[in-house]
Amino acid sequence: MANRILPFITLVFFSTLFSMVIGDDGVAISKQYPLVVSTWPFKEAVRAAWRAVDGGHSAVDAVVEGCSACEELRCDGTVGPGGSPDENGETTIDALIMNGVTMEVGAVAAMRFVKDGIRAAKLVMQHTKHTLLVGEKASAFSISMGLPGPSNLSSSDSIMKWSKWKENNCQPNFWKDVVPLDSCGPYHAKASMDVKDGGCSTRNLMGVAEPRSSLVGPHNHDTISMAVIDKMGHVAVGTSTNGATYKIPGRVGDGPIAGSSAYADTDVGACGATGDGDIMMRFLPWYCNEYQSFYFLNDEVILGKPSADRKYAQLTGNFAWFGSIRNNKLVWVVYELILKFETFPANMRLVFLIHYQVVESMRLGMEPRLAAKDAISRIARKFPDFVGAVVAVNKNGVHAGACHGWTFEYSVRSPVTVDVEVFTVLP
Ligand SMILES: *[C@@H]1O[C@H](CO)[C@@H](O)[C@H](O)[C@H]1NC(C)=O
């Protein structure tokens, strides 16, 4: 290792840290929380969370109040009961809560007959040593713990939507490589001889996914994903959704998966996502390892001109250093190695999911805007048609969003705003 280089790296790294430290001690900071950030202009939900957190409740309780308000209001028809019918016309609920102080998580998925998703998730977190309960067993648990049910989660709206979809030969739907293609099921796998245009299509060979935009839009794929920082500076996140409209029964997206739909770490911040959960839940931070901005530093740091096809990295003990050019400056980020694979750095840290990576990026001093953008662009490289958004907030209350395939809005309430403010993010 080139010792002459190390002071330089350390210097740049600490200057990244330094800006965070300034933030920590800055006067502006004390005004930045409590703070509530939510996907979409779900203003009533943000107000409900704000009332709780401003009244001195914990971040966890405020998240429950906020998401619960959305469930009651059936935000956009995609949160709470009465929306997003599956192929059988049934509405089911997915929800997640995460305490960024204790790193405890509670979640329910594909829960039937109980409308209080976020409260059920909190009961899982509070009263079990598990993380995720699913299906009818999640319903039984929730009812046994005092939540109302069993109730009919359908509404005249959802039933009407579903009837129309049936009349339209069950189009669009989430099946692929099956027969029949253009009518309702039951479906069967296409015999492999028929698959010459399907399973091994040029599209697949080229690594491009099927377009799915017709199924995914603002009114059939929303999730409330909410982050709260309370007066103590503690961070919590929660999500609630009734999933994708016309989903195949049993489908669970990113909503109830910690690290995929949302993640919180009080030392760093939080992030939340909305969009095509089937896609978003597939992405690991190092999945592609296609950072054009990373330079491979083997034994020696090469400070020459960046070239897109060269990747530099350097290992010092348990830390990996990555350099990237931003605004003509070489900026270093440092990752602590948890898992080290032979093919470093390709498979390094395979353990982290995408939004965790947003939090990770922020832990290393990346501002929320870059961290969020980074996470989204990684997916967009593989799934150009995908529709999704991420909102990130660091522990100082600085927030930002990033999106792909649609215009995204998120809502914020902090001591410096009089009411909920809505921010628009363009793809
Ligand atoms: C549930 O509610 C929907 C909409 O009101 C209704 O059409 C359906 O018959 C109800 N299902 C049951 C089992 O009561």
Side-chain angles (χ1 to χ4, degrees), residues 152-156 158-159:
N152 182 353
L153 301 189
S154 295
S155 63
S156 46
S158 67
I159 294 298

Side-chain angles (χ1 to χ4, degrees), residues 310-332:
R310 290 190 75 161
K311 299 183 177 102
Y312 304 96
Q314 176 170 303
L315 283 170
T316 62
N318 263 346
F319 294 90
W321 303 74
F322 288 89
S324 64
I325 298 287
R326 292 201 198 109
N327 301 328
N328 294 326
K329 274 187 294 194
L330 185 53
V331 178
W332 292 92

Side-chain angles (χ1 to χ4, degrees), residues 202-257:
T202 37
R203 193 196 287 284
N204 285 359
L205 288 174
M206 290 168 66
V208 178
E210 302 289 318
R212 10 188 320 128
S213 313
S214 63
L215 278 163
V216 183
H219 297 288
N220 60 13
H221 241 91
D222 294 357
T223 299
I224 180 166
S225 200
M226 176 180 274
V228 175
I229 308 181
D230 64 23
K231 287 183 169 171
M232 307 276 289
H234 294 165
V235 183
V237 289
T239 71
S240 184
T241 179
N242 51 32
T245 310
Y246 316 129
K247 60 181 167 279
I248 298 170
R251 176 267 191 189
V252 171
D254 63 332
I257 310 298

Side-chain angles (χ1 to χ4, degrees), residues 69-81:
C70 230
E71 290 167 0
E72 275 159 37
L73 291 167
R74 308 181 171 193
C75 288
D76 274 0
T78 61
V79 182

Side-chain angles (χ1 to χ4, degrees), residues 29-38 46-47 49-54 57-60 62-63 226-237 269-270 368 391-400 410-417 419 421 423:
I29 298 318
S30 56
K31 286 196 249 138
Q32 294 294 318
Y33 53 81
L35 179 80
V36 179
V37 178
S38 170
V46 173
R47 286 184 190 123
W50 176 257
R51 278 193 297 276
V53 76
D54 195 43
H57 288 279
S58 69
V60 165
V63 163
M226 176 180 274
V228 175
I229 308 181
D230 64 23
K231 287 183 169 171
M232 307 276 289
H234 294 165
V235 183
V237 289
V391 56
V393 52
N394 72 14
K395 64 176 173 174
N396 298 328
V398 178
H399 51 80
Y410 68 97
S411 318
V412 177
R413 177 69 164 98
S414 77
V416 297
T417 61
D419 192 7
E421 250 186 289
F423 292 80

